[in-house]
PDB file of all heavy atoms in Angstrom:
ATOM      1  N   SER V   1       2.429 -13.700 -12.062  1.00 98.00           N
ATOM      2  CA  SER V   1       2.358 -14.999 -12.747  1.00 98.00           C
ATOM      3  C   SER V   1       2.021 -16.060 -11.669  1.00 98.00           C
ATOM      4  O   SER V   1       2.527 -16.055 -10.615  1.00 98.00           O
ATOM      5  CB  SER V   1       3.724 -15.364 -13.332  1.00 98.00           C
ATOM      6  OG  SER V   1       4.023 -14.444 -14.379  1.00 98.00           O
ATOM      7  N   VAL V   2       1.151 -17.014 -12.142  1.00 98.00           N
ATOM      8  CA  VAL V   2       0.734 -18.104 -11.276  1.00 98.00           C
ATOM      9  C   VAL V   2       0.493 -19.286 -12.058  1.00 98.00           C
ATOM     10  O   VAL V   2       0.121 -19.234 -13.218  1.00 98.00           O
ATOM     11  CB  VAL V   2      -0.556 -17.645 -10.472  1.00 98.00           C
ATOM     12  CG1 VAL V   2      -1.712 -17.360 -11.476  1.00 98.00           C
ATOM     13  CG2 VAL V   2      -0.919 -18.602  -9.374  1.00 98.00           C
ATOM     14  N   HIS V   3       0.619 -20.496 -11.453  1.00 98.00           N
ATOM     15  CA  HIS V   3       0.292 -21.755 -12.103  1.00 98.00           C
ATOM     16  C   HIS V   3      -1.227 -21.983 -12.085  1.00 98.00           C
ATOM     17  O   HIS V   3      -1.924 -21.480 -11.203  1.00 98.00           O
ATOM     18  CB  HIS V   3       1.013 -22.964 -11.430  1.00 98.00           C
ATOM     19  CG  HIS V   3       2.490 -22.865 -11.516  1.00 98.00           C
ATOM     20  ND1 HIS V   3       3.125 -22.804 -12.722  1.00 98.00           N
ATOM     21  CD2 HIS V   3       3.391 -22.875 -10.548  1.00 98.00           C
ATOM     22  CE1 HIS V   3       4.417 -22.813 -12.545  1.00 98.00           C
ATOM     23  NE2 HIS V   3       4.638 -22.758 -11.227  1.00 98.00           N
ATOM     24  N   PRO V   4      -1.752 -22.788 -12.985  1.00 98.00           N
ATOM     25  CA  PRO V   4      -3.197 -23.179 -12.957  1.00 98.00           C
ATOM     26  C   PRO V   4      -3.492 -23.766 -11.560  1.00 98.00           C
ATOM     27  O   PRO V   4      -2.779 -24.579 -11.033  1.00 98.00           O
ATOM     28  CB  PRO V   4      -3.311 -24.243 -14.070  1.00 98.00           C
ATOM     29  CG  PRO V   4      -2.231 -23.851 -15.025  1.00 98.00           C
ATOM     30  CD  PRO V   4      -1.104 -23.391 -14.214  1.00 98.00           C
ATOM     31  N   GLY V   5      -4.680 -23.350 -11.093  1.00 98.00           N
ATOM     32  CA  GLY V   5      -5.089 -23.809  -9.763  1.00 98.00           C
ATOM     33  C   GLY V   5      -4.665 -22.886  -8.620  1.00 98.00           C
ATOM     34  O   GLY V   5      -5.151 -22.990  -7.487  1.00 98.00           O
ATOM     35  N   GLY V   6      -3.774 -21.904  -8.900  1.00 98.00           N
ATOM     36  CA  GLY V   6      -3.283 -21.059  -7.920  1.00 98.00           C
ATOM     37  C   GLY V   6      -4.249 -19.870  -7.641  1.00 98.00           C
ATOM     38  O   GLY V   6      -5.333 -19.816  -8.181  1.00 98.00           O
ATOM     39  N   SER V   7      -3.725 -18.895  -6.844  1.00 98.00           N
ATOM     40  CA  SER V   7      -4.577 -17.775  -6.414  1.00 98.00           C
ATOM     41  C   SER V   7      -3.811 -16.493  -6.515  1.00 98.00           C
ATOM     42  O   SER V   7      -2.589 -16.433  -6.381  1.00 98.00           O
ATOM     43  CB  SER V   7      -5.031 -17.990  -4.950  1.00 98.00           C
ATOM     44  OG  SER V   7      -5.881 -19.109  -4.793  1.00 98.00           O
ATOM     45  N   LEU V   8      -4.534 -15.392  -6.720  1.00 98.00           N
ATOM     46  CA  LEU V   8      -4.036 -14.093  -6.635  1.00 98.00           C
ATOM     47  C   LEU V   8      -5.113 -13.206  -6.055  1.00 98.00           C
ATOM     48  O   LEU V   8      -6.304 -13.451  -6.218  1.00 98.00           O
ATOM     49  CB  LEU V   8      -3.698 -13.530  -8.080  1.00 98.00           C
ATOM     50  CG  LEU V   8      -2.459 -14.041  -8.723  1.00 98.00           C
ATOM     51  CD1 LEU V   8      -2.444 -13.543 -10.223  1.00 98.00           C
ATOM     52  CD2 LEU V   8      -1.209 -13.593  -8.021  1.00 98.00           C
ATOM     53  N   ARG V   9      -4.673 -12.109  -5.484  1.00 98.00           N
ATOM     54  CA  ARG V   9      -5.578 -11.038  -4.956  1.00 98.00           C
ATOM     55  C   ARG V   9      -5.298  -9.746  -5.585  1.00 98.00           C
ATOM     56  O   ARG V   9      -4.182  -9.157  -5.326  1.00 98.00           O
ATOM     57  CB  ARG V   9      -5.534 -10.970  -3.406  1.00 98.00           C
ATOM     58  CG  ARG V   9      -6.621 -10.110  -2.817  1.00 98.00           C
ATOM     59  CD  ARG V   9      -6.426  -9.812  -1.343  1.00 98.00           C
ATOM     60  NE  ARG V   9      -7.576  -9.255  -0.726  1.00 98.00           N
ATOM     61  CZ  ARG V   9      -7.553  -8.658   0.503  1.00 98.00           C
ATOM     62  NH1 ARG V   9      -6.407  -8.687   1.171  1.00 98.00           N
ATOM     63  NH2 ARG V   9      -8.695  -8.210   1.005  1.00 98.00           N
ATOM     64  N   LEU V  10      -6.204  -9.243  -6.376  1.00 98.00           N
ATOM     65  CA  LEU V  10      -5.985  -7.913  -6.978  1.00 98.00           C
ATOM     66  C   LEU V  10      -6.620  -6.804  -6.141  1.00 98.00           C
ATOM     67  O   LEU V  10      -7.650  -7.042  -5.498  1.00 98.00           O
ATOM     68  CB  LEU V  10      -6.625  -7.910  -8.387  1.00 98.00           C
ATOM     69  CG  LEU V  10      -6.267  -9.058  -9.323  1.00 98.00           C
ATOM     70  CD1 LEU V  10      -6.930  -8.879 -10.680  1.00 98.00           C
ATOM     71  CD2 LEU V  10      -4.748  -9.194  -9.454  1.00 98.00           C
ATOM     72  N   SER V  11      -5.971  -5.651  -6.088  1.00 97.00           N
ATOM     73  CA  SER V  11      -6.428  -4.501  -5.387  1.00 97.00           C
ATOM     74  C   SER V  11      -6.680  -3.376  -6.282  1.00 97.00           C
ATOM     75  O   SER V  11      -6.028  -3.219  -7.356  1.00 97.00           O
ATOM     76  CB  SER V  11      -5.437  -4.075  -4.318  1.00 97.00           C
ATOM     77  OG  SER V  11      -5.228  -5.114  -3.356  1.00 97.00           O
ATOM     78  N   CYS V  12      -7.656  -2.580  -5.958  1.00 94.00           N
ATOM     79  CA  CYS V  12      -7.995  -1.391  -6.770  1.00 94.00           C
ATOM     80  C   CYS V  12      -8.213  -0.198  -5.821  1.00 94.00           C
ATOM     81  O   CYS V  12      -9.057  -0.207  -4.904  1.00 94.00           O
ATOM     82  CB  CYS V  12      -9.231  -1.654  -7.586  1.00 94.00           C
ATOM     83  SG  CYS V  12      -9.794  -0.279  -8.708  1.00 94.00           S
ATOM     84  N   ALA V  13      -7.450   0.862  -6.075  1.00 93.00           N
ATOM     85  CA  ALA V  13      -7.488   2.065  -5.224  1.00 93.00           C
ATOM     86  C   ALA V  13      -8.008   3.221  -6.035  1.00 93.00           C
ATOM     87  O   ALA V  13      -7.382   3.547  -7.060  1.00 93.00           O
ATOM     88  CB  ALA V  13      -6.150   2.323  -4.528  1.00 93.00           C
ATOM     89  N   PRO V  14      -9.031   3.957  -5.608  1.00 89.00           N
ATOM     90  CA  PRO V  14      -9.476   5.082  -6.349  1.00 89.00           C
ATOM     91  C   PRO V  14      -8.488   6.283  -6.112  1.00 89.00           C
ATOM     92  O   PRO V  14      -7.868   6.367  -5.132  1.00 89.00           O
ATOM     93  CB  PRO V  14     -10.826   5.437  -5.777  1.00 89.00           C
ATOM     94  CG  PRO V  14     -10.765   4.890  -4.363  1.00 89.00           C
ATOM     95  CD  PRO V  14      -9.869   3.644  -4.419  1.00 89.00           C
ATOM     96  N   SER V  15      -8.473   7.117  -7.089  1.00 88.00           N
ATOM     97  CA  SER V  15      -7.649   8.370  -7.001  1.00 88.00           C
ATOM     98  C   SER V  15      -8.572   9.565  -6.920  1.00 88.00           C
ATOM     99  O   SER V  15      -9.203   9.916  -7.942  1.00 88.00           O
ATOM    100  CB  SER V  15      -6.708   8.424  -8.219  1.00 88.00           C
ATOM    101  OG  SER V  15      -5.942   9.595  -8.164  1.00 88.00           O
ATOM    102  N   GLY V  16      -8.657  10.185  -5.723  1.00 85.00           N
ATOM    103  CA  GLY V  16      -9.298  11.406  -5.655  1.00 85.00           C
ATOM    104  C   GLY V  16     -10.835  11.415  -5.443  1.00 85.00           C
ATOM    105  O   GLY V  16     -11.468  12.422  -5.566  1.00 85.00           O
ATOM    106  N   PHE V  17     -11.374  10.233  -5.151  1.00 84.00           N
ATOM    107  CA  PHE V  17     -12.820  10.185  -4.887  1.00 84.00           C
ATOM    108  C   PHE V  17     -13.118   9.004  -3.990  1.00 84.00           C
ATOM    109  O   PHE V  17     -12.329   8.076  -3.840  1.00 84.00           O
ATOM    110  CB  PHE V  17     -13.649  10.067  -6.177  1.00 84.00           C
ATOM    111  CG  PHE V  17     -13.456   8.781  -6.942  1.00 84.00           C
ATOM    112  CD1 PHE V  17     -14.306   7.720  -6.845  1.00 84.00           C
ATOM    113  CD2 PHE V  17     -12.324   8.639  -7.790  1.00 84.00           C
ATOM    114  CE1 PHE V  17     -14.161   6.617  -7.552  1.00 84.00           C
ATOM    115  CE2 PHE V  17     -12.154   7.465  -8.509  1.00 84.00           C
ATOM    116  CZ  PHE V  17     -13.051   6.469  -8.385  1.00 84.00           C
ATOM    117  N   SER V  18     -14.277   8.969  -3.437  1.00 86.00           N
ATOM    118  CA  SER V  18     -14.758   7.968  -2.492  1.00 86.00           C
ATOM    119  C   SER V  18     -15.573   6.911  -3.266  1.00 86.00           C
ATOM    120  O   SER V  18     -16.279   7.202  -4.200  1.00 86.00           O
ATOM    121  CB  SER V  18     -15.654   8.568  -1.385  1.00 86.00           C
ATOM    122  OG  SER V  18     -16.228   7.545  -0.605  1.00 86.00           O
ATOM    123  N   LEU V  19     -15.405   5.629  -2.877  1.00 83.00           N
ATOM    124  CA  LEU V  19     -16.139   4.541  -3.438  1.00 83.00           C
ATOM    125  C   LEU V  19     -17.593   4.399  -2.974  1.00 83.00           C
ATOM    126  O   LEU V  19     -18.319   3.611  -3.539  1.00 83.00           O
ATOM    127  CB  LEU V  19     -15.437   3.248  -3.132  1.00 83.00           C
ATOM    128  CG  LEU V  19     -14.067   3.078  -3.775  1.00 83.00           C
ATOM    129  CD1 LEU V  19     -13.430   1.770  -3.202  1.00 83.00           C
ATOM    130  CD2 LEU V  19     -14.091   3.020  -5.284  1.00 83.00           C
ATOM    131  N   SER V  20     -17.951   5.182  -1.976  1.00 80.00           N
ATOM    132  CA  SER V  20     -19.219   4.952  -1.300  1.00 80.00           C
ATOM    133  C   SER V  20     -20.463   5.128  -2.214  1.00 80.00           C
ATOM    134  O   SER V  20     -21.513   4.467  -1.927  1.00 80.00           O
ATOM    135  CB  SER V  20     -19.345   5.850  -0.114  1.00 80.00           C
ATOM    136  OG  SER V  20     -19.349   7.216  -0.480  1.00 80.00           O
ATOM    137  N   HIS V  21     -20.329   5.870  -3.306  1.00 78.00           N
ATOM    138  CA  HIS V  21     -21.490   6.050  -4.162  1.00 78.00           C
ATOM    139  C   HIS V  21     -21.317   5.382  -5.479  1.00 78.00           C
ATOM    140  O   HIS V  21     -22.063   5.683  -6.441  1.00 78.00           O
ATOM    141  CB  HIS V  21     -21.633   7.546  -4.367  1.00 78.00           C
ATOM    142  CG  HIS V  21     -21.920   8.378  -3.152  1.00 78.00           C
ATOM    143  ND1 HIS V  21     -23.123   8.212  -2.420  1.00 78.00           N
ATOM    144  CD2 HIS V  21     -21.192   9.252  -2.467  1.00 78.00           C
ATOM    145  CE1 HIS V  21     -23.048   8.978  -1.367  1.00 78.00           C
ATOM    146  NE2 HIS V  21     -21.912   9.594  -1.357  1.00 78.00           N
ATOM    147  N   TYR V  22     -20.405   4.415  -5.622  1.00 83.00           N
ATOM    148  CA  TYR V  22     -20.105   3.773  -6.888  1.00 83.00           C
ATOM    149  C   TYR V  22     -20.307   2.309  -6.855  1.00 83.00           C
ATOM    150  O   TYR V  22     -20.403   1.699  -5.749  1.00 83.00           O
ATOM    151  CB  TYR V  22     -18.734   4.144  -7.342  1.00 83.00           C
ATOM    152  CG  TYR V  22     -18.632   5.554  -7.800  1.00 83.00           C
ATOM    153  CD1 TYR V  22     -18.207   6.565  -6.913  1.00 83.00           C
ATOM    154  CD2 TYR V  22     -18.863   5.956  -9.131  1.00 83.00           C
ATOM    155  CE1 TYR V  22     -18.114   7.860  -7.379  1.00 83.00           C
ATOM    156  CE2 TYR V  22     -18.752   7.239  -9.565  1.00 83.00           C
ATOM    157  CZ  TYR V  22     -18.406   8.226  -8.634  1.00 83.00           C
ATOM    158  OH  TYR V  22     -18.267   9.572  -9.071  1.00 83.00           O
ATOM    159  N   TYR V  23     -20.358   1.722  -8.007  1.00 90.00           N
ATOM    160  CA  TYR V  23     -20.484   0.253  -8.227  1.00 90.00           C
ATOM    161  C   TYR V  23     -19.275  -0.125  -9.076  1.00 90.00           C
ATOM    162  O   TYR V  23     -19.041   0.369 -10.145  1.00 90.00           O
ATOM    163  CB  TYR V  23     -21.744  -0.094  -8.877  1.00 90.00           C
ATOM    164  CG  TYR V  23     -22.933   0.458  -8.041  1.00 90.00           C
ATOM    165  CD1 TYR V  23     -23.410   1.696  -8.196  1.00 90.00           C
ATOM    166  CD2 TYR V  23     -23.573  -0.437  -7.137  1.00 90.00           C
ATOM    167  CE1 TYR V  23     -24.458   2.184  -7.390  1.00 90.00           C
ATOM    168  CE2 TYR V  23     -24.600   0.068  -6.329  1.00 90.00           C
ATOM    169  CZ  TYR V  23     -25.051   1.364  -6.537  1.00 90.00           C
ATOM    170  OH  TYR V  23     -26.118   1.840  -5.788  1.00 90.00           O
ATOM    171  N   ILE V  24     -18.450  -1.079  -8.502  1.00 91.00           N
ATOM    172  CA  ILE V  24     -17.148  -1.305  -9.093  1.00 91.00           C
ATOM    173  C   ILE V  24     -17.197  -2.586 -10.017  1.00 91.00           C
ATOM    174  O   ILE V  24     -17.710  -3.601  -9.521  1.00 91.00           O
ATOM    175  CB  ILE V  24     -16.099  -1.542  -8.014  1.00 91.00           C
ATOM    176  CG1 ILE V  24     -16.110  -0.393  -7.012  1.00 91.00           C
ATOM    177  CG2 ILE V  24     -14.711  -1.651  -8.666  1.00 91.00           C
ATOM    178  CD1 ILE V  24     -15.895   1.059  -7.638  1.00 91.00           C
ATOM    179  N   GLY V  25     -16.740  -2.378 -11.183  1.00 94.00           N
ATOM    180  CA  GLY V  25     -16.635  -3.491 -12.132  1.00 94.00           C
ATOM    181  C   GLY V  25     -15.149  -3.931 -12.365  1.00 94.00           C
ATOM    182  O   GLY V  25     -14.285  -3.119 -12.337  1.00 94.00           O
TER     183      GLY V  25
END
């Protein structure tokens, strides 16, 4: 939860594969 104007950083970790050959949406 954050107020308008604030910031958050979301993280995404793959399970069982490498990101090197993919394009992340």
Side-chain angles (χ1 to χ4, degrees):
S1 297
V2 64
H3 295 303
S7 297
L8 287 171
R9 190 190 192 194
L10 309 183
S11 299
C12 183
S15 179
F17 67 98
S18 172
L19 296 173
S20 62
H21 300 293
Y22 288 92
Y23 303 84
I24 309 304

